[in-house]
């Protein structure tokens, strides 16, 4: 029986994949810091490098997966990605059973492998573009954001519980199980969205595809906005566990568990925001919504290191989650609307590649600055987000 393309199924697939991602991400800085007994600055570089390794591989491989999905279909690429993710988390679980340098090397290998296989977000975005009319595309791109938010609601909480009850290797094994279940789900119920009669894809080498995509002015502009927004978010993502770990608020408490709960809280806010994306797009339009999202995000990011009580942290995290939650859907919606139907996967793959570059540079940048002064990465990235908002206003809002 032929499987029909389904928004619900692709949402579930991305959601389950991001649960696995959310399980291990908040734990990475703590595991790396505990296994590396060197100077603070060296720790910052090592922690940033481990987190960035996933994105370094995505930078090179995301356009390839996107272009491959244009040629052979979205479904097989999604299945390969899910199976590879499961294997990478098994490696992560094994790495967590080791100590010292050997453990760090295996964590690095697991993240590199995960990055090579990580195609879900860009291909899922192309899948949604395939089956969505133009007027609903930005709102439906919000489903990816909702899946992302829900993954970070359940992922960190599951990671914290599995760490408590199953030990150091527990989060890796649990994440591997979720991704294996995702592969099985996709195998049986995920339909193909790309039509068999679609026009053939123009073959281009990787760098030529980047050049072709970026040479289109609107796409190049939107990808730049996405790059800077992602860079700033990853600075928060990679250093917040360290900020909380060194905060007197959590002194004498199980810091890893509280970090998981705070990420979960931010995920709840980000997921709830996705429910109003469609109405906000209708009211403001994509360009103005991008501008507003960056202003809110900049306010939250620059305030975070100065939050001295738990209520203050919750308010600032809410601002940060609202700003980041509102940003991605209209950016990806506009990228899709400005892409030819037969280049959705390739262009969204290039976008994801530059997002990966931001996630690669951001943790190294923030991790190094954090150990100079904890507030530096937040203040600098808050400034970058603010400048990007004015950039978006000048080149997107004024021309619409």
């Amino acid at each position: 029986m032929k499987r029909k393309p389904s928004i619900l199924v692709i949402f579930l697939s991305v959601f389950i994949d991001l649960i696995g991602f959310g399980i291990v991400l908040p734990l990475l800085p703590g595991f790396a810091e505990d296994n590396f007994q060197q100077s603070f600055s060296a720790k910052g570089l090592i922690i940033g490098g481990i987190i960035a390794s996933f994105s370094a591989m995505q930078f090179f491989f995301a356009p390839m997966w996107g272009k491959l999905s244009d040629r052979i279909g979205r479904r097989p690429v999604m299945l390969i990605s899910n199976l590879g993710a499961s294997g990478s988390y098994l490696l992560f679980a094994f790495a967590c059973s080791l100590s010292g340098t050997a453990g760090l090397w295996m964590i690095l290998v697991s993240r590199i492998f995960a990055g090579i296989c990580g195609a879900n977000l860009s291909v899922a975005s192309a899948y949604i573009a395939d089956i969505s009319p133009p007027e609903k595309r930005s709102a439906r791109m919000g489903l990816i954001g909702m899946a992302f938010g829900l993954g970070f609601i359940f992922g960190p909480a599951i990671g914290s519980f599995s760490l408590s009850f199953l030990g150091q290797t527990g989060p890796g094994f649990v994440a591997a199980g979720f991704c294996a279940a995702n592969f099985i789900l996709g195998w049986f119920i995920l339909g193909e969205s790309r039509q068999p009669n679609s026009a053939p894809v123009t073959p281009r080498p990787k760098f030529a595809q980047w050049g072709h995509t970026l040479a289109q002015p609107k796409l190049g502009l939107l990808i730049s906005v996405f790059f800077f927004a992602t860079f700033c978010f990853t600075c928060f993502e990679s250093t917040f566990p360290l900020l909380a770990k060194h905060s007197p608020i959590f002194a004498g408490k199980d810091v890893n568990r509280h970090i998981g709960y705070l990420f979960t809280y931010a995920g709840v806010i980000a997921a709830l925001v996705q429910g109003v994306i469609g109405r906000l797009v209708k009211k403001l339009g994509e360009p103005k919504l991008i501008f507003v999202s960056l202003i809110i995000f900049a306010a939250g990011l620059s305030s975070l290191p100065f939050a001295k009580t738990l209520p203050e942290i919750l308010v600032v995290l809410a601002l940060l989650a609202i700003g980041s939650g509102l940003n991605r859907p209209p950016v990806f919606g506009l990228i899709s609307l400005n892409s030819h139907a037969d280049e959705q996967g390739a262009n969204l793959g290039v976008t994801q590649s530059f997002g990966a570059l931001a996630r690669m540079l951001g943790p190294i940048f923030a991790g190094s600055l954090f150990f100079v002064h904890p507030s530096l990465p937040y203040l600098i990235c808050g400034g970058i987000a603010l400048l990007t908002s004015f950039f978006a206003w000048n080149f997107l809002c004024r021309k619409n």
Side-chain angles (χ1 to χ4, degrees):
M1 184 177 70
K2 186 177 179 181
R3 308 171 190 87
K4 292 183 178 179
S6 167
I7 288 285
L8 176 61
V9 173
I10 201 68
F11 169 81
L12 288 173
S13 182
V14 175
F15 167 56
I16 294 171
D17 179 67
L18 287 166
I19 284 180
F21 190 71
I23 285 172
V24 303
L25 182 64
L27 305 175
L28 278 172
F31 285 168
E33 186 178 29
D34 292 342
N35 283 350
F36 193 69
Q37 307 300 324
Q38 298 294 331
S39 68
F40 280 163
S41 59
K43 280 184 181 181
L45 286 171
I46 291 295
I47 291 168
I50 287 174
I51 296 173
S53 62
F54 174 88
S55 299
M57 294 301 102
Q58 283 218 315
F59 175 69
F60 291 106
F61 286 92
M64 181 198 77
W65 289 121
K67 190 162 58 175
L68 185 64
S69 78
D70 283 336
R71 192 167 76 245
I72 69 172
R74 318 299 184 201
R75 181 177 181 270
V77 175
M78 292 286 289
L79 292 176
I80 293 168
S81 177
N82 293 337
L83 192 60
S86 183
S88 73
Y89 291 129
L90 286 176
L91 283 175
F92 179 78
F94 174 68
C96 291
S97 69
L98 305 176
S99 60
T101 305
L104 279 177
W105 277 112
M106 283 306 301
I107 288 175
L108 179 62
V109 169
S110 74
R111 300 313 293 157
I112 288 173
F113 184 58
I116 291 172
C117 298
N120 266 5
L121 290 180
S122 57
V123 177
S125 298
Y127 190 107
I128 289 174
D130 290 340
I131 62 176
S132 300
E135 67 275 10
K136 294 184 178 179
R137 203 163 293 176
S138 291
R140 288 187 175 179
M141 288 294 178
L143 290 173
I144 301 288
M146 183 177 287
F148 199 97
L150 289 172
F152 271 90
I153 291 169
F154 293 100
I158 293 170
S160 296
F161 281 122
S162 58
L163 182 65
S164 299
F165 291 102
L166 301 175
Q168 289 279 97
T169 60
F173 282 123
V174 172
F178 272 104
C179 291
N182 202 13
F183 172 78
I184 295 169
L185 174 76
W187 181 269
F188 285 105
I189 67 174
L190 182 65
E192 178 55 62
S193 65
R194 186 160 167 78
Q195 298 301 316
N197 59 353
S198 298
V201 179
T202 304
R204 293 187 186 93
K206 183 188 303 180
F207 293 108
Q209 182 62 55
W210 285 343
H212 172 76
T213 300
L214 295 173
Q216 300 172 65
K218 197 71 173 281
L219 290 180
L221 175 65
L222 290 163
I223 290 171
S224 298
V225 169
F226 180 65
F227 170 84
F228 287 114
T230 304
F231 178 87
C232 294
F233 184 79
T234 56
C235 288
F236 150 73
E237 198 175 49
S238 59
T239 58
F240 181 64
L242 298 173
L243 186 69
K245 197 170 184 179
H246 292 85
S247 170
I249 299 172
F250 302 107
K253 298 178 181 178
D254 185 349
V255 179
N256 281 333
R257 183 162 57 89
H258 283 83
I259 290 169
Y261 293 151
L262 288 171
F263 270 111
T264 299
Y265 165 78
V268 170
I269 301 295
L272 290 174
V273 162
Q274 306 307 313
V276 299
I277 291 287
R279 279 175 284 176
L280 289 174
V281 167
K282 285 182 181 178
K283 185 173 182 179
L284 300 175
E286 284 94 342
K288 287 183 181 176
L289 184 55
I290 292 168
F291 168 73
V292 170
S293 71
L294 288 167
I295 292 288
I296 296 171
F297 180 66
L301 192 61
S302 57
S303 302
L304 189 57
F306 305 105
K308 301 303 181 184
T309 65
L310 185 57
E312 288 177 357
I313 288 177
L314 293 178
V315 169
V316 172
L317 281 178
L319 284 174
L320 203 151
I322 290 168
S324 63
L326 290 176
N327 184 259
R328 190 182 191 279
V331 170
F332 270 65
L334 283 180
I335 289 171
S336 175
L337 290 169
N338 285 276
S339 297
H340 190 275
D342 298 310
E343 292 187 328
Q344 295 283 345
N347 288 341
L348 289 166
V350 171
T351 306
Q352 199 63 42
S353 179
F354 278 84
L357 178 62
R359 288 190 294 272
M360 177 174 60
L361 298 176
I364 295 173
F365 173 81
S368 302
L369 284 178
F370 182 88
F371 290 104
V372 176
H373 194 284
S375 64
L376 274 179
Y378 296 92
L379 291 175
I380 292 173
C381 289
I384 291 172
L386 191 62
L387 286 173
T388 305
S389 72
F390 290 114
F391 178 77
W393 175 264
N394 192 50
F395 292 101
L396 289 176
C397 299
R398 287 187 174 182
K399 295 185 178 182
N400 281 273

